[in-house]
């Protein structure tokens, strides 16, 4: 697989430079010089200049809007390039390193063509074959098309009446709430609807008597069996039967509606893939550059965290090579517990009793700072909570809101210049992380349960003192209307101070209007506004809400929060924010993982910021705008899209070439990225047709050379599924790093 144990010298040199070109050209897609800081001149990139062009035709004529795929194993790591044919069936595979490629065709309505050997410089005529049946054609449909065949309980079956009455828990008050749990709860680790999950044939040797029994068994298997079993028990007997009926339907020949072939701009996309990691890696997220400066680390390495094994994984896109960097802990790894279950209810259908995920540093999400350092949320220590986290006589934050429980993940960074790692203990847990654009380059974290934690990175660089640099504030809203937060405050019921990675919780307890009110929002996504440095967090608890924290000039005493919930009258159609991002105007964007599409929230439209009404978060319904996803099928019997968005990202600086401030959702169920043009509500879908199973959690964009037109910019994402053996190719398949570039036309080279 071309994986080396450490970066090559060229990698190291590029990491150390880690900066981009300084000048704009007059060609291609221009970006304002004032949009981000001017960067230094990079090393000259060694771009591959080879190309393979040609024509695709079938017995019905030339085939437009189908994919031409070139792949090779002759480079240090496996390399794949994918393009789409134009209206006349012509294609151009650009920027190919010198190698021999297998070139073939995949398209909706076709069966995969036989690969043809070719080298750069050749012109090919590729023969496509029309699929013999709808079932043959559907083999290459994205997972969400198959998932759309699942029939969820009808609206009339809600509220649930209990497991023994209608098989649905009484906690589910509506079909929308059930759908939110179904999509967010059951697809956090992998797609549903891919070949493995829509079939049961690989379980034939287990002697199971029915599909219901098979589904009950399969959701108990492997290391994540306890989690899957817990989710299925929440869905109840009706949920188990629902999945069994779905696979029975597929087994008897049901096929989903056919997807549209790529059209318009979608035919201009060039997709490049590199293998990285091993076949048991778990690449949660990737990063290529700094959020506020897309020219940082230009032409440099691309990073991901391998949560399963506690490493950074690296791809050098110029050398076409992959490497890894271990992430240490303060404690002896042999004495630490892995977050991943080490016992199984049932053996894995693929790995038996083998424990394939065992890392203890548990990195989750990487980010790059303005110095080119690679930060991550990772476990530093599992020992007792330090005194400075809980003793108010030592630490003002502990006096304000002490940390009483051990946190499961903290902060670390790797400096490519020194090749050294720093470990920073945070008193509350961390999950995602985002830098502000303030002078202190504050680093904020989600996953802090009742709080939003941070690291003042400038202060840490000056002192190397985590006690001085780490801070946190609980989310308390100004319900008494005096413009500040004062103690004591109203407490939530059941909210506690626990280490919560995203869902929030805790009902509003006894309410005294003379007091302020702590709202245990929880936080999954996190982002910092470039306009006022406020911190925004997304909570996944139905129907979903966002919290805003202003830490003020003297935190924690100056901290004040606001909470905004999805309007009650919209919650049947729009729910489930997980990811969160912001545009350059300060408008917040959330991918609605439960319902599909986007919600935006513009605080500038709000009129009420304090008083008793703000406790429930319904005080600014005018701030919300909704953009339902109109690409792909709905779930059977509903008006809700079948796709799933694990996260989202806003292209603030035109890294796609399509414009600034465009929100992008990961089509984690549809092998795609979805780009929204808010002004027209148009969706542009960039599909990864091979290998099937592109389950992307995050995405970012980088500008390598603003004077190089489409070649100098693009989006980056990775195959982030927990279970790589679900990807097309099965066991032995690794994760892939994916680069999306958008050309001016399908034949540009």
């Amino acid at each position: 697989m071309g994986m080396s144990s450490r970066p090559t010298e060229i990698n190291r040199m590029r990491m150390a430079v880690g900066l981009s070109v300084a000048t704009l050209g007059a060609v291609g897609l221009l970006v304002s010089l004032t949009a981000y800081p001017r960067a230094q001149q990079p090393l000259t990139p060694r771009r591959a200049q080879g190309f393979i062009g040609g024509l695709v035709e079938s017995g019905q004529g030339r085939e437009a809007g189908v994919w031409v795929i070139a792949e090779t194993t002759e480079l240090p790591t496996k390399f794949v390039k994918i393009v789409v044919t134009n209206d006349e069936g012509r294609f151009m595979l650009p920027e190919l390193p010198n190698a021999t490629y297998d070139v073939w065709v995949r398209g909706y309505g076709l069966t995969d063509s036989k690969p043809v050997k070719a080298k750069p410089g050749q012109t090919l005529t590729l023969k496509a074959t029309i699929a013999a049946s709808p079932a043959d054609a559907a083999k290459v449909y994205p997972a969400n098309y198959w998932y759309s065949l699942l029939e969820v309980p009808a609206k009339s079956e809600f509220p649930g009446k209990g497991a023994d009455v209608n098989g649905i828990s009484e906690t589910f008050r509506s079909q929308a709430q059930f759908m939110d749990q179904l999509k967010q709860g059951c697809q956090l680790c992998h797609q549903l609807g891919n070949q493995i999950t829509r079939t049961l044939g690989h379980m034939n040797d287990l002697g199971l008597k029915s599909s219901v029994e098979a589904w009950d068994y399969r959701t108990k298997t492997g290391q994540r069996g306890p989690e899957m079993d817990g989710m299925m028990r929440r869905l109840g007997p009706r949920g188990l039967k629902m999945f069994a009926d779905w696979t029975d339907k597929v087994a008897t020949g049901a096929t989903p509606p056919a997807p549209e072939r790529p059209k318009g701009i979608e035919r201009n996309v060039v997709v490049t893939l590199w293998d990285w990691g091993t076949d048991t890696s778990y690449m949660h997220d990737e990063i290529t550059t700094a959020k506020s400066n897309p020219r940082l680390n230009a032409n440099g390495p691309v990073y991901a965290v391998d949560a399963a094994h506690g490493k950074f994984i690296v791809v050098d896109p110029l050398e076409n090579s992959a490497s890894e960097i271990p992430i240490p802990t303060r404690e002896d790894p042999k004495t630490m517990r892995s977050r991943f279950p080490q016992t199984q209810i049932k053996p894995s259908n693929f790995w038996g009793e083998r424990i394939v995920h065992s890392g203890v540093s548990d990195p989750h999400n990487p980010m790059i700072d303005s110095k080119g350092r690679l930060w991550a949320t990772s476990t530093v220590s599992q020992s007792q909570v330090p005194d400075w986290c809980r003793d108010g006589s030592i630490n003002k934050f502990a006096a304000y809101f002490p940390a009483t429980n051990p946190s499961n993940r903290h902060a670390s960074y790797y400096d490519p210049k020194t090749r050294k790692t720093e470990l920073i203990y945070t008193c509350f847990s961390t999950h995602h992380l985002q830098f502000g654009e303030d002078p202190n380059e504050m680093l904020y974290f989600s996953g802090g349960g009742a709080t939003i934690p941070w690291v003042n990175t400038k202060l840490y660089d000056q002192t190397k003192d985590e006690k001085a640099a780490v801070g946190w504030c609980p989310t308390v809203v100004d319900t008494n209307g005096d413009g500040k937060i004062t103690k004591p405050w109203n407490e939530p019921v059941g909210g506690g101070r626990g280490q919560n990675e995203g869902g929030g919780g805790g009902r509003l307890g006894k309410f005294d209007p003379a007091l302020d009110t702590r709202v245990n929002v929880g936080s999954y996504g996190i982002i910092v506004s470039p306009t006022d440095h406020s911190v925004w967090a997304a909570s996944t608890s139905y129907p979903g809400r966002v919290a805003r924290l202003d830490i003020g000039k003297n935190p924690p005493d100056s901290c004040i929060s606001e909470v905004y919930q999805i309007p009650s009258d919209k919650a049947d159609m729009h729910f489930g924010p997980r990811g969160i991002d912001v545009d350059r105007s300060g408008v917040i964007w959330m991918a609605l993982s439960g319902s599909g599409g986007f919600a935006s929230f513009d605080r500038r439209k709000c009129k009420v910021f304090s008083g008793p009404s703000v406790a429930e978060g319904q005080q600014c319904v005018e701030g919300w705008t909704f953009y339902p996803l109109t690409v792909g099928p709905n779930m059977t019997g509903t008006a809700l899209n079948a796709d799933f968005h694990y996260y989202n990202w806003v292209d603030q600086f035109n890294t796609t070439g399509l414009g600034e401030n465009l929100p992008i959702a990961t089509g984690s169920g549809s092998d795609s990225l979805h780009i929204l043009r808010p002004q027209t509500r148009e969706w542009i879908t960039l599909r990864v047709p091979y290998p099937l199973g592109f389950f992307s959690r995050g995405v970012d964009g980088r500008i390598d050379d603003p004077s190089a037109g489409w070649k100098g910019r693009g989006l980056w994402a990775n195959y982030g599924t927990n279970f790589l053996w679900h990807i097309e190719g099965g066991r032995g398949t690794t994760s892939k790093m994916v680069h999306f570039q958008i050309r001016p036309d399908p034949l540009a080279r």
Side-chain angles (χ1 to χ4, degrees):
M1 282 177 279
M3 175 67 71
S4 62
S5 62
R6 57 193 178 93
T8 64
E9 291 305 317
I10 293 175
N11 277 359
R12 290 186 185 133
M13 182 168 59
R14 191 168 293 116
M15 291 178 194
V17 175
L19 296 171
S20 178
V21 292
T23 56
L24 283 172
V27 298
L29 307 159
L30 300 184
V31 181
S32 169
L33 278 171
T34 61
Y36 41 75
R38 200 171 181 82
Q40 298 177 15
Q41 187 73 20
L43 295 174
T44 302
R46 298 203 301 277
R47 291 195 180 279
Q49 295 298 328
F51 59 89
I52 297 173
L55 175 69
V56 176
E57 56 187 13
S58 69
Q60 295 183 355
R62 296 184 175 186
E63 293 288 341
V66 300
W67 292 282
V68 177
I69 300 165
E71 55 185 325
T72 184
T73 57
E74 293 182 1
L75 301 172
T77 195
K78 185 178 179 181
F79 177 92
V80 178
K81 184 85 73 172
I82 304 174
V83 298
V84 189
T85 57
N86 71 0
D87 294 346
E88 299 176 345
R90 298 191 178 277
F91 69 90
M92 176 59 63
L93 287 156
E95 295 196 296
L96 293 173
N98 186 33
T100 301
Y101 294 85
D102 288 326
V103 185
W104 52 284
V105 179
R106 169 170 286 181
Y108 300 142
L110 306 176
T111 56
D112 291 347
S113 70
K114 184 178 179 180
V116 174
K117 297 287 185 184
K119 291 185 176 182
Q122 290 185 245
T123 300
L124 306 175
T125 298
L126 301 176
K127 299 297 183 180
T129 302
I130 302 299
S133 67
D136 283 340
K139 290 178 181 178
V140 298
Y141 292 175
N144 68 312
Y145 280 78
W146 290 96
Y147 191 47
S148 73
L149 298 177
L150 187 146
E151 296 186 39
V152 301
K155 288 184 177 181
S156 60
E157 297 184 58
F158 297 92
K161 296 177 176 60
D164 297 331
V165 181
N166 71 344
I168 301 173
S169 168
E170 296 172 354
T171 59
F172 289 114
R173 308 304 297 169
S174 67
Q175 184 190 64
Q177 187 182 6
F178 185 90
M179 276 282 292
D180 186 55
Q181 187 75 84
L182 179 67
K183 290 180 69 178
Q184 292 208 67
C186 295
Q187 295 190 85
L188 298 186
C189 299
H190 58 84
Q191 289 181 339
L192 279 171
N194 53 27
Q195 195 275 333
I196 287 292
T197 58
R198 69 177 181 258
T199 60
L200 298 170
H202 57 286
M203 301 172 64
N204 285 343
D205 296 336
L206 298 175
L208 303 170
K209 297 177 182 178
S210 68
S211 297
V212 169
E213 191 173 336
W215 269 95
D216 184 56
Y217 185 97
R218 85 184 307 179
T219 54
K220 292 179 169 67
T221 59
Q223 284 185 256
R224 307 311 283 265
E227 297 170 48
M228 293 190 294
D229 181 55
M231 182 56 60
M232 188 61 81
R233 283 189 280 109
R234 282 195 287 277
L235 293 177
R238 182 70 174 81
L240 193 65
K241 184 178 185 301
M242 173 186 66
F243 279 107
D245 290 345
W246 174 52
T247 47
D248 284 346
K249 182 193 297 187
V250 171
T252 55
T255 56
E260 278 191 285
R261 288 183 178 182
K263 59 186 184 301
I265 291 172
E266 298 168 350
R267 294 185 179 179
N268 299 348
V269 69
V270 178
V271 178
T272 309
L273 300 90
W274 295 266
D275 276 21
W276 59 354
T278 70
D279 61 351
T280 61
S281 294
Y282 163 28
M283 313 291 226
H284 195 284
D285 282 297
E286 56 71 37
I287 195 68
T288 67
T289 187
K291 175 72 176 175
S292 61
N293 181 5
R295 291 168 63 184
L296 191 73
N297 192 40
N299 299 304
V302 179
Y303 302 97
V305 289
D306 181 353
H309 305 301
K311 299 174 180 178
F312 289 118
I313 306 297
V314 189
V315 155
D316 186 322
L318 299 185
E319 298 298 317
N320 302 301
S321 63
S323 57
E324 60 187 37
I325 305 166
I327 300 175
T329 58
R330 286 182 183 166
E331 299 175 38
D332 183 347
K334 295 178 182 179
T335 67
M336 297 176 69
R337 304 177 307 278
S338 173
R339 179 178 65 87
F340 302 100
Q342 302 295 291
T343 58
Q344 304 178 11
I345 304 174
K346 302 285 187 181
S348 166
N349 288 317
F350 301 92
W351 301 96
E353 299 285 353
R354 179 181 168 188
I355 300 298
V356 296
H357 294 172
S358 58
V360 293
S361 63
D362 191 27
H364 182 267
N365 185 215
M367 285 290 158
I368 293 176
D369 69 11
S370 63
K371 298 179 177 65
R373 299 178 300 189
L374 181 62
W375 290 73
T377 49
S378 68
T379 300
V380 169
S381 171
Q382 294 177 344
S383 298
Q384 189 177 9
V385 179
D387 287 343
W388 62 269
C389 293
R390 55 187 177 175
D391 188 340
S393 66
I394 300 175
N395 187 312
K396 64 178 182 178
F397 294 100
Y400 192 78
F401 196 80
T404 56
N405 300 323
S407 51
N408 58 21
R409 198 183 283 118
H410 314 99
S412 61
Y413 70 80
Y414 173 79
D415 189 339
K417 297 176 183 178
T418 63
R419 300 197 292 278
K420 293 181 179 179
T421 301
E422 288 275 350
L423 303 177
I424 303 173
Y425 189 92
T426 57
C427 296
F428 284 85
S429 287
T430 65
H431 204 58
H432 292 97
L433 69 168
Q434 287 285 353
F435 287 97
E437 297 182 29
D438 58 284
N440 290 321
E441 200 165 356
M442 298 285 281
L443 177 60
Y444 294 95
F445 304 94
S446 71
T451 74
I452 293 177
W454 64 80
V455 174
N456 182 325
T457 65
K458 180 179 179 181
L459 184 58
Y460 184 80
D461 286 341
Q462 292 170 344
T463 65
K464 300 300 181 185
D465 182 354
E466 61 193 7
K467 178 169 66 72
V470 170
W472 62 90
C473 269
T475 46
V476 185
V477 296
D478 179 21
T479 48
N480 69 6
D482 66 358
K484 60 185 178 180
I485 301 301
T486 50
K487 288 185 173 183
W489 48 58
N490 296 310
E491 286 282 0
V493 174
R497 299 165 183 254
Q499 309 300 334
N500 183 320
E501 288 191 345
R507 304 180 310 278
L508 186 62
K510 183 179 179 180
F511 182 73
D512 182 346
L515 302 180
D516 295 321
T517 303
R518 184 168 73 85
V519 181
N520 193 32
V521 175
S523 56
Y524 187 79
I526 195 87
I527 196 64
V528 188
S529 173
T531 61
D532 61 6
H533 309 308
S534 60
V535 191
W536 291 77
S539 169
T540 61
S541 55
Y542 178 84
R545 54 187 173 178
V546 293
R548 177 185 186 269
L549 171 66
D550 182 351
I551 69 171
K553 295 181 179 181
N554 184 36
D557 294 322
S558 58
C559 287
I560 187 167
S561 296
E562 299 163 9
V563 176
Y564 301 96
Q565 187 171 4
I566 288 176
S568 301
D569 63 346
K570 303 292 185 182
D572 280 350
M573 287 298 297
H574 307 287
F575 50 86
R578 287 178 59 79
I580 188 170
D581 207 344
V582 65
D583 63 25
R584 298 307 294 179
S585 299
V587 176
I588 302 299
W589 290 88
M590 295 149 278
L592 299 178
S593 303
S595 58
F598 272 111
S600 68
F601 184 79
D602 190 345
R603 183 177 179 268
R604 296 172 297 184
K605 298 179 180 179
C606 299
K607 300 178 179 63
V608 177
F609 301 98
S610 63
S613 65
V614 305
E616 300 295 342
Q618 292 286 311
Q619 71 275 18
C620 187
V621 297
E622 62 271 22
W624 293 89
T625 305
F626 298 97
Y627 303 83
L629 182 66
T630 56
V631 178
N634 291 336
M635 299 294 290
T636 298
T638 79
L640 298 170
N641 197 279
D643 206 353
F644 172 66
H645 310 312
Y646 194 97
Y647 217 80
N648 62 286
W649 185 75
V650 175
D651 185 8
Q652 297 180 356
F653 299 115
N654 191 26
T655 64
T656 62
L658 298 177
E660 297 177 352
N661 292 318
L662 294 185
I664 302 172
T666 57
S668 308
S670 63
D671 296 330
S672 70
L673 301 179
H674 297 299
I675 303 174
L676 173 68
R677 284 179 158 163
Q679 291 77 14
T680 63
R681 294 180 172 259
E682 172 193 7
W683 291 91
I684 299 168
T685 297
L686 309 181
R687 195 87 70 184
V688 182
Y690 170 80
L692 294 171
F694 174 57
F695 181 88
S696 182
R697 297 174 187 262
V699 57
D700 79 325
R702 188 171 77 185
I703 298 176
D704 291 322
D705 183 351
S707 67
W710 68 271
K711 292 185 179 183
R713 63 188 65 221
L715 300 173
W716 298 83
N718 70 295
Y719 282 64
T721 179
N722 287 56
F723 309 133
L724 296 172
W725 47 98
H726 284 199
I727 298 172
E728 180 181 4
R731 185 171 168 178
T733 302
T734 72
S735 176
K736 290 89 175 56
M737 186 64 222
V738 189
H739 190 201
F740 299 82
Q741 296 170 289
I742 300 176
R743 300 183 280 188
D745 66 79
L747 300 183
R749 70 186 192 198

